[in-house]
Amino acid sequence: LLSLPLAIPAYIAALCWIILLRRGGVIEQIAITIFGFERGSLALPPIYNLVGTTLAISLCVYPYVYLPVAAALRSADRTLEEAARLCGRSAWHTFRSITLPLLAPVVVAGAFLVGLYALADFGTVSMLRYRTFTLAIYQQFGGSIDRSSAAALSMLLVILVLPLILGENIVSRRGQRTSRGMAWRPRSIVPLGRWKWVAFALLSLLITLALLTPVIVLGWLSIQGWLFPSEVDRIWGINNTGIAIFGLNTLLLAVAAAVGALLLGLAPAYLAVRYPSVLTKMLLNLSKSAYALPGLIVGLSLVFVLNTIVPTIYGTLVALLFGFVIRLLPLSITTSEAALRGVPPVLEQAAHTLGRGGLASFRSVTLPLAAPGLLATWILIFITAMKELPTAILLRPPGFDTLPVRIWAAASESVYTQAAPAAFLLICLTMASLLFLTLNRRFGLERTLHDLR
């Protein structure tokens, strides 16, 4: 349950908090109907500010820290903690002096991923009207004929991203030197006693805010919009058939983009693993760095390139699919490289000595052994494609709406009963994929996120 909020886009979480906490929203309606409050008299926490935006993003991206830390705790050398306890250290002092310093590189690296997500976010800040670089770039791009100001703001945003990339690389190199021992793993579970229920209550609160609240709010609004449609609902003309079409468009685009990105990423990943050199290492580092670029900047760059070089395909499904593949390709190369690195090269060499050629040995030896990691890569790419908003907004052809685009369009017009069904369906589709990846330890969501980091 703690990993499932990763399937919920932050802009959908923002939508849920708007529905709950805005004036005339769910909480105020309940207060008026049940408790007799007058309209506007209930003090509601403001959400259109830094605190509201931070809360919406944090509740969706904390798994970027939680999952690698959980994996590090399971694989850490527990003998160090045991030695500290034998020397008379208390459990709390052992945690502060031994465990926390060992986890620090993993925690900081996860925080860098969260920082990159926050810098690149567009949908959340757009819905909560919090002015950031991404929102200003989009407004400059859509509101003026001269796009030079949007390009200048994009360069500033890239400059902000670079320190995070460099800092993450430094922390990752330090984290690789963390001592890990698997020979002896003593029992290191500490009973919490009466604090067990406090910890359980805090975890339940986190799951309620990050997971149950969006699902319940969107599910309830979806049922309300279908069973008791208002005049606005009829004007928008969204029904079960319309939602199904948007969902089908999103599924087909995500599947095609994930397949294309995975196939295109295999070749450079294989070169980096089996033929290491300065060139292949540079290619891999560039791929990792490119993944940190905000989707809005990638989409704007593709708009400029397509309009200049091949204007005939701009505004078509080909351009949209091409944009998604380019956006997801760095993620594909990075995670595929980690999956292929887990296949020992001696097995390929044995196949060569038995008369197998390079392609035949890759097909019969390397690919089957790397299949679980590659499947995890495909699922992670698929989930990312399902949630992608800026690229879809900038490159979609007329009449082709995906679920994220429909959510953003309805929420921009404050028609939340029509944004809710699309958001609920998107959460269900992405959560099913993430649940499959989480429950199957063979594929390893934690390992895949660690490789991405």
Side-chain angles (χ1 to χ4, degrees):
L1 291 178
L2 286 170
S3 63
L4 289 182
L6 196 62
I8 302 177
Y11 55 83
I12 289 183
L15 172 65
C16 294
W17 293 114
I18 290 173
I19 293 171
L20 286 174
L21 299 175
R22 68 188 176 96
R23 285 298 172 189
V26 173
I27 292 181
E28 187 176 64
Q29 290 295 335
I30 293 175
I32 293 173
T33 305
I34 299 178
F35 300 103
F37 279 82
E38 295 184 2
R39 186 175 299 276
S41 62
L42 181 64
L44 295 172
I47 56 174
Y48 296 100
N49 53 21
L50 176 62
V51 176
T53 307
T54 302
L55 177 66
I57 294 177
S58 299
L59 288 174
C60 295
V61 300
Y62 77 83
Y64 283 126
V65 178
Y66 159 71
L67 288 170
V69 169
L73 282 171
R74 274 192 287 271
S75 61
D77 189 352
R78 299 181 188 177
T79 58
L80 300 176
E81 296 179 355
E82 200 71 13
R85 297 303 301 273
L86 289 173
C87 291
R89 303 286 188 178
S90 64
W92 176 245
H93 194 280
T94 300
F95 174 76
R96 286 190 294 110
S97 60
I98 303 295
T99 310
L100 200 56
L102 291 176
L103 292 177
V106 183
V107 174
V108 174
F112 277 125
L113 276 181
V114 174
L116 290 173
Y117 185 99
L119 281 177
D121 180 82
F122 166 72
T124 310
V125 297
S126 175
M127 290 186 181
L128 294 178
R129 306 167 196 168
Y130 187 75
R131 292 191 61 82
T132 61
F133 267 113
T134 52
L135 183 58
I137 291 168
Y138 180 77
Q139 290 174 344
Q140 289 291 333
F141 175 79
S144 62
I145 298 177
D146 184 12
R147 308 289 169 79
S148 57
S149 56
L153 290 174
S154 300
M155 286 302 302
L156 290 175
L157 183 56
V158 171
I159 292 173
L160 286 177
V161 168
L162 290 178
L164 287 179
I165 298 175
L166 296 175
E168 195 277 334
N169 288 332
I170 295 173
V171 171
S172 295
R173 286 196 295 269
R174 291 181 178 177
Q176 291 172 359
R177 295 195 293 268
T178 301
S179 175
R180 296 175 184 270
M182 304 296 292
W184 179 47
R185 301 179 65 80
R187 182 180 182 271
S188 60
I189 298 177
V190 180
L192 294 178
R194 65 179 182 272
W195 293 101
K196 174 175 63 176
W197 299 110
V198 176
F200 180 76
L202 291 175
L203 290 176
S204 300
L205 177 63
L206 177 60
I207 293 174
T208 300
L209 293 177
L211 183 64
L212 297 182
T213 298
V215 172
I216 292 173
V217 169
L218 296 175
W220 176 76
L221 272 183
S222 301
I223 295 174
Q224 178 186 351
W226 288 335
L227 298 182
F228 310 103
S230 63
E231 190 63 30
V232 175
D233 297 328
R234 296 188 182 95
I235 292 174
W236 273 68
I238 299 182
N239 48 35
N240 293 335
T241 305
I243 292 295
I245 292 174
F246 304 143
L248 182 61
N249 290 344
T250 308
L251 274 176
L252 293 177
L253 180 61
V255 169
V259 171
L262 183 61
L263 293 178
L264 289 177
L266 274 178
Y270 186 79
L271 287 175
V273 171
R274 291 295 181 258
Y275 304 96
S277 64
V278 176
L279 182 61
T280 56
K281 186 177 181 180
M282 185 182 301
L283 174 65
L284 192 62
N285 289 331
L286 286 175
S287 300
K288 293 179 180 180
S289 302
Y291 180 68
L293 292 177
L296 185 65
I297 291 179
V298 176
L300 287 175
S301 303
L302 289 173
V303 168
F304 295 141
V305 170
L306 293 177
N307 270 327
T308 304
I309 300 177
V310 279
T312 54
I313 70 169
Y314 178 69
T316 65
L317 284 175
V318 175
L320 180 61
L321 180 59
F322 177 75
F324 265 67
V325 170
I326 294 299
R327 169 76 175 122
L328 301 170
L329 189 57
L331 173 61
S332 172
I333 295 175
T334 303
T335 50
S336 297
E337 180 261 344
L340 292 172
R341 197 175 292 279
V343 180
V346 293
L347 300 179
E348 293 181 358
Q349 295 168 5
H352 289 321
T353 60
L354 294 174
R356 294 276 183 166
L359 185 60
S361 63
F362 177 81
R363 186 176 62 251
S364 60
V365 177
T366 308
L367 201 56
L369 292 176
L374 294 178
L375 179 59
T377 296
W378 186 90
I379 294 176
L380 195 61
I381 297 172
F382 171 79
I383 292 173
T384 306
M386 289 285 292
K387 301 187 297 182
E388 178 63 23
L389 176 62
T391 307
I393 290 177
L394 294 171
L395 295 175
R396 66 187 178 96
F400 187 88
D401 280 349
T402 61
L403 290 174
V405 171
R406 202 63 184 182
I407 295 165
W408 181 76
S412 299
E413 299 293 333
S414 299
V415 189
Y416 301 114
T417 54
Q418 291 305 305
F424 184 72
L425 180 58
L426 179 62
I427 286 179
C428 291
L429 293 174
T430 53
M431 199 171 292
S433 305
L434 187 64
L435 193 62
F436 174 81
L437 188 57
T438 303
L439 296 180
N440 287 272
R441 291 290 180 182
R442 182 187 177 196
F443 306 125
L445 173 62
E446 293 171 349
R447 182 185 304 171
T448 305
L449 285 177
H450 177 270
D451 296 336
L452 172 60
R453 177 182 63 79

